[in-house]
Each structure stands twice: as C-alpha cells, then as structure tokens.
Amino acid sequence: MHELTQQDARRIALRAQLLTAERPSDLMGMVRHLTLLPTEPTAPIATSYDLLCWSRLGAAYDPGELETLVQDQRLVHYLGFYRPVEDLPLHRAEAPYWPGRGDLKPWVHEVAGWFAANEECRQDILATLRAEGPLPATALPDTCQRTWGSSGWTNNKNVQQMLWYMLQRDEVAIADPLGREKLWDLAERVYDDQPLPDPDEALAERDRRRLLSLGVARPKGPADRAEPTYVRDAGEPAVVEGVKGTWRVEPAYLEGLGDFEGRAALLSPFDRLVMDRKRLDQLFGFDYVLEMYKPKAQRIWGYYALPVLYGDRLVGKLDATAERDEGVLRVDAVHEDEPFTAEMRDAVDAEIEDLAAWLGLEVVFIAGRGGTKSRHETR
C-alpha cells in the first residue's frame, strides 16, 4: 500500500496528464498517452480539444494537424471523444454484449426496453443510412413508437438517443465529425474488419491505459459507458493523506516526486484533469463548476472560465472571451483563489499572452483581479 501526501497525488496526476515543465512535442503521441480528446465544440475562446492540445504543446500546436488526423481517421470520434484508431477495438469489444454484462441496474433495463419498443425506428434508420448515408441526425427518420423522456436536454430527442445506443451496439458510426453537423453511417462502412478482443481482456487494458493517463484514480466509481473515471484493479493500491478511502496509483510515476518541476497552464473546462469534480476537490481542493449552463446572474467565475494551474496547484480561474472580429482576447477577470505572488502573476500573465498570440489576438484586460469567494462561501 503506497502512502501518498496530497502533494504527491497532485504531482502524479500532473505528470500523467503531461502538465509539467517538460512539454510533449508530438500531437499524436500526446493523444495516444492521454487516450482521448474531448469533442465539446463550444468555443468562446477555442474548442475544448484545441485548448487541451495547446495547454500541453504550447505555441507549437497547429489545429490543422488535429483536423488532418481526424480526416485521415487516425483519430476517430467514438462515444463522445476523439480516440486513437488503434484503441477502437478495446472499446468496441463491449458492443456484442449491449446493454451490458453481469448484473445491470434498473435504469439499464429501462433503456433496453425503450430501445426494443422502437425497433421500427432502428430499422428505418439503418435502411436510410444504407441507401443514402452518410447523413446528419436531422436527416434520419423519427418513427419511434415510444418517446424518449428525460428531465434534461435529451427529452424527446428520439433519433439522437437511438443513434447513441446503436453506436454502442456497433450498428452505426460517426463518419465525419468535423462539419457543423456530424455525419452518421453504417458501422461496417467506417470501421475495419479487425476482430474484437476478449471483453474482459479489453476492459483490463482500458483500465491500465486510463490509469497511465490519470496517474492516480479510484478503483470504483459511477457507471459511465462513454468514459469511466475509475480503474478497478489497474496499478497498485494507495492511500492519500487526509482523504478517505483507497486509490490506485501508476507506479511508474512514483520516482522523483521531489524533483517535480511544474509550470503555469490555462486548462479547458473539459480537461481530463478537472472533469472528475470529486477527485478535483479531494486532491487539489479546487472549487470549480462550469457555469455556461447557469443563468448569467448566478455565475461567479464566468461563462467559460478556464482553471488556472501554477506548479502543482490549481490557483484560480480565467474569465476571457476571444473577440475575433475585434482582434482581441478580452479578459474580464483573473479570479485568484488566494492572492497571487508576483511570480505567480507574471507566470499566469505570460500564459495569457501566449494564448492570445496562439489565437492571433491582442490581450485586453477589462477588469482587475483579486480573490474570489468559493462557491460554498457564497451560498
């Protein structure tokens, strides 16, 4: 059982996520290591995937190179992420067993019941794609007999939900994710005929690669078909000082933690380092919620605030917007979770300037900076 301080755990996580002073230099190698890129297209500054790549590679990152990797299908859009094409069989290994193996939760049976009740719609989608594909979801027929009910944005989104489950069953695939609307086609036209591995072996390998990209993670967590946050038996057991429960750690990152050299970085709200909010709080003590879904009056840090990394800590949020028509990166606020030292301020300002230069914009500071109450303190 490895005994880690919270600083140890943070440094391991940052090493795993390639957020140290030693930057990666190869885009495809970086994605292979991280295993995925988010595909969220919202871009008040830049898309989540471009921000993630820039935060690792710096000014050397060329978005056109990523576009080429996607067009050449070296990176494939699968279950909400861009993934290396060679990893695809590891994820598709579960497809023949949809909706899942072992004991399934009641909601999974409800999903399977909805899917079965709409067999006519499934067949109509397959027939349409076979005759006319690739097509956007808006061009596919909605002949569902049972409406998809939800309290969220998916309510009545019958075709989108049907495609999501057909994707998990290896019946359809995303053929072109780069346009304004991604195009769908029959899976047999998109994927090669490479045999799928044993599902248990694939599961263990996915866990191993996930831990290699996270550094330290919980063995168990909430179910997520797209991309879990836990790693089961991968790595070795660990405890983190001051945090309840056990963790799994990648032993390759345990050496030389005292020699850790960090840097400043501005992170996408969809960055893998910050997406697991519970882990974020336990290891970094960082209070953060993406507020683009909140009414303006309820926002504390801004519509698309970027978490600010300095060394081995997350220290603030950047509220900025790329005003491309005006040629500026407008900085509305740099929220400091605690007052920045002069060295911290210089490093963060330099990173903001680098971001603007990469975007081809000039920086304009609209407001000052200062400490920010946590979300808990403002309730």
Side-chain angles (χ1 to χ4, degrees):
M1 181 72 71
H2 298 283
E3 297 182 358
L4 307 174
T5 65
Q6 288 190 31
Q7 184 181 65
D8 290 339
R10 292 196 303 271
R11 291 181 171 186
I12 289 169
L14 292 169
R15 278 183 171 179
Q17 279 289 296
L18 308 179
L19 285 166
T20 64
E22 184 179 355
R23 292 179 182 267
S25 58
D26 172 61
L27 175 59
M28 191 65 203
M30 182 201 77
V31 180
R32 285 195 180 105
H33 174 85
L34 298 178
T35 74
L36 53 78
L37 292 177
T39 57
E40 164 61 44
T42 306
I45 299 174
T47 62
S48 57
Y49 44 88
D50 282 334
L51 277 174
L52 187 147
C53 294
W54 169 80
S55 66
R56 271 72 175 178
L57 299 168
Y61 170 58
D62 177 7
E65 184 182 355
L66 178 62
E67 185 173 330
T68 298
L69 291 175
V70 175
Q71 287 175 335
D72 293 346
Q73 290 198 318
R74 294 180 64 193
L75 293 178
V76 179
H77 190 300
Y78 187 75
L79 293 183
F81 297 92
Y82 291 125
R83 306 176 191 268
V85 66
E86 61 266 26
D87 290 357
L88 217 53
L90 295 175
H91 298 276
R92 294 173 52 217
E94 300 287 343
Y97 307 94
W98 189 90
R101 297 180 293 146
D103 295 330
L104 303 178
K105 298 202 177 280
W107 69 265
V108 178
H109 291 289
E110 292 175 8
V111 165
W114 176 86
F115 190 86
N118 290 308
E119 174 65 14
E120 180 180 346
C121 183
R122 170 180 167 269
Q123 292 293 344
D124 289 344
I125 288 173
L126 289 173
T128 303
L129 290 177
R130 189 170 293 112
E132 305 175 31
L135 293 170
T138 52
L140 295 171
D142 181 359
T143 55
C144 285
Q145 301 299 307
R146 259 179 65 186
T147 296
W148 178 264
S150 167
S151 59
W153 72 271
T154 61
N155 190 49
N156 293 329
K157 304 288 187 180
N158 298 326
V159 171
Q160 285 88 335
Q161 289 303 111
M162 182 63 69
L163 288 169
W164 176 245
Y165 298 123
M166 292 173 72
L167 175 67
Q168 295 178 29
R169 288 163 54 95
D170 251 7
E171 295 177 328
V172 299
I174 297 172
D176 180 7
L178 291 172
R180 292 180 64 86
E181 286 188 283
K182 56 180 174 277
L183 300 182
W184 296 83
D185 204 350
L186 299 177
E188 63 200 47
R189 292 176 180 164
V190 178
Y191 303 146
D192 58 31
D193 57 359
Q194 185 177 353
L196 300 182
D198 173 83
D200 289 323
E201 293 178 2
L203 182 67
E205 181 63 13
R206 293 200 307 273
D207 289 342
R208 187 192 72 80
R209 295 190 189 192
R210 187 178 308 115
L211 183 58
L212 194 63
S213 75
L214 293 175
V216 58
R218 293 290 193 181
K220 298 179 181 179
D224 185 341
R225 177 67 181 91
E227 186 60 33
T229 58
Y230 54 91
V231 295
R232 281 170 279 258
D233 296 326
E236 297 176 358
V239 291
V240 177
E241 181 184 11
V243 182
K244 293 181 180 179
T246 59
W247 300 75
R248 305 294 294 188
V249 64
E250 170 52 55
Y253 299 125
L254 291 170
E255 295 295 326
L257 289 175
D259 299 327
F260 176 88
E261 186 177 355
R263 62 180 175 87
L266 306 173
L267 306 180
S268 161
F270 295 91
D271 197 289
R272 191 71 176 281
L273 186 73
V274 302
M275 279 300 290
D276 183 344
R277 306 294 193 229
K278 186 173 182 180
R279 176 177 180 264
L280 183 67
D281 179 59
Q282 291 173 332
L283 299 187
F284 287 85
F286 189 59
D287 186 20
Y288 181 73
V289 174
L290 176 59
E291 296 179 318
M292 60 188 274
Y293 306 109
K294 298 281 188 181
K296 186 174 183 179
Q298 296 180 19
R299 295 176 192 149
I300 298 172
W301 304 307
Y303 175 81
Y304 199 76
L306 307 187
V308 177
L309 173 71
Y310 180 78
D312 60 17
R313 295 186 302 131
L314 290 160
V315 297
K317 297 92 178 172
L318 171 67
D319 181 12
T321 306
E323 302 286 2
R324 290 175 174 82
D325 291 343
E326 299 174 21
V328 300
L329 177 66
R330 190 188 75 230
V331 177
D332 289 300
V334 180
H335 299 288
E336 301 175 4
D337 288 6
E338 59 187 65
F340 286 8
T341 64
E343 184 178 3
M344 291 168 65
R345 182 169 296 183
D346 288 346
V348 172
D349 284 353
E351 200 70 7
I352 295 171
E353 293 285 352
D354 287 348
L355 173 60
W358 175 70
L359 294 168
L361 305 174
E362 299 265 349
V363 178
V364 174
F365 284 90
I366 302 299
R369 61 177 84 217
T372 304
K373 290 183 179 180
S374 76
R375 185 167 296 273
H376 306 298
E377 292 173 322
T378 57
R379 286 174 182 157

